[in-house]
Amino acid sequence: MGLSGRPVCLAALFLVSAGAVCSAQIPDARVPVVLSTDVGNEIDDQWAITYLLLQPRFEVLGVMSAHAPSISAPAGETSLRILVDVVENRLGMSTHPPLIEGGSLPLQNATTPRPSPAVRFLIETSRRFTRNNRLTVLMIGAATDVASAILTDPTIVDRVRVIQMGFPDEKGGEEFNIHNDVHAVQAILDSKVPLVIGPGNVCRASLSLSLDQARAMLATRGAIGAWLWEEYQAWYYRAVKPLRVDDFSKPWVIWDDIALAYVLGMTTQHTLPRPRMRDDMSFAPGSVDQTVTWITDVDEERMWADFLSLIDAYQQTHTINKKYGRLTFMMP
């Protein structure tokens, strides 16, 4: 269940200290990760990037931009500019992992890769990993660059695992990230790369926030909280509120955090046979000896407490410039 059916105890959540959360949830081992994000498409990627870069359990080796039809062309380049703005201006990081430009167009078919700096980076970065020590690839946008890396160097499937936000549910079907490069998702499903999927229905149930909840979480939480709240509020009035008059009950979903929650051990999941995907995004039977792990629930109270405590702890030791330009989802 999500916040609508299982309300977060906000008062208790916000009193959790950074030290308590970290000692309870963060083991010594760090997880090497690369993120592929279509930041600038809407607002959830900004939350995921913030969480990723502030969470000490992640050893972030790079962040790659990805295309989306709502991002100004060339989309991979535009998304990279927004990514740089998020990391260097909104989070105030002068030192950070590499930020790499991804492809600007989807694949033409499921067998031909589309070269990009992100594809080269992912292949090269993966070479230090093995079947028993895999690089985690978080994919929260179009699958173009990850699929292109697999098609360019098929041996990469023995060195990485992919955690994807996508599909409405375990039956397949149209969803934004999947629709943005159907052939890329087909290529990934047809490969033998270990794959975990966080579907939209679980995100809606677990990662929905009302306007009041987002305000209570972020509005007075320093410069980073104020930025994320301003982005949420502007997006809410643009995409959620129109034509609803005085009804503020509909929430918005912070979809992409599901991928991070899985790696942090804050989800439940099960494994099903690995399907093939038709061009209409429906599933067909696939290989009988291959599987996909599907996330079935997120411990959102634990996740939000961790996220907020990390924002608090970071701002205690870093000065963030509160003056910035246009909201990131409105940047050209």
Side-chain angles (χ1 to χ4, degrees), residues 235-249:
W235 179 262
Y236 188 92
Y237 278 95
R238 176 178 177 175
V240 183
K241 187 65 173 69
L243 305 181
R244 296 180 66 85
V245 193
D246 295 325
D247 182 3
F248 290 85
S249 63

Side-chain angles (χ1 to χ4, degrees), residues 44 125 130 151 171 224:
D44 57 332
T125 302
T130 66
L151 293 170
K171 297 178 181 178
I224 294 176

Side-chain angles (χ1 to χ4, degrees), residues 9-23:
C9 181
L10 294 176
L13 188 154
F14 299 149
L15 291 175
V16 175
S17 71
V21 171
C22 289
S23 63

Side-chain angles (χ1 to χ4, degrees), residues 133-145:
N133 177 33
R134 293 179 181 267
L135 171 65
T136 295
V137 180
L138 303 173
M139 191 170 67
I140 58 175
T144 306
D145 296 303

Side-chain angles (χ1 to χ4, degrees), residues 287-308:
S287 175
V288 296
D289 61 345
Q290 298 295 315
T291 61
V292 171
T293 297
W294 291 88
I295 298 171
T296 57
D297 193 21
V298 179
D299 186 345
E300 67 267 31
E301 293 190 22
R302 182 181 168 200
M303 191 200 76
W304 290 131
D306 186 39
F307 176 65
L308 297 174

Side-chain angles (χ1 to χ4, degrees), residues 96-117:
H96 52 74
L99 309 177
I100 308 99
E101 180 178 341
S104 290
L105 296 171
L107 299 186
Q108 293 182 317
N109 57 61
T111 59
T112 305
R114 186 176 291 280
S116 73

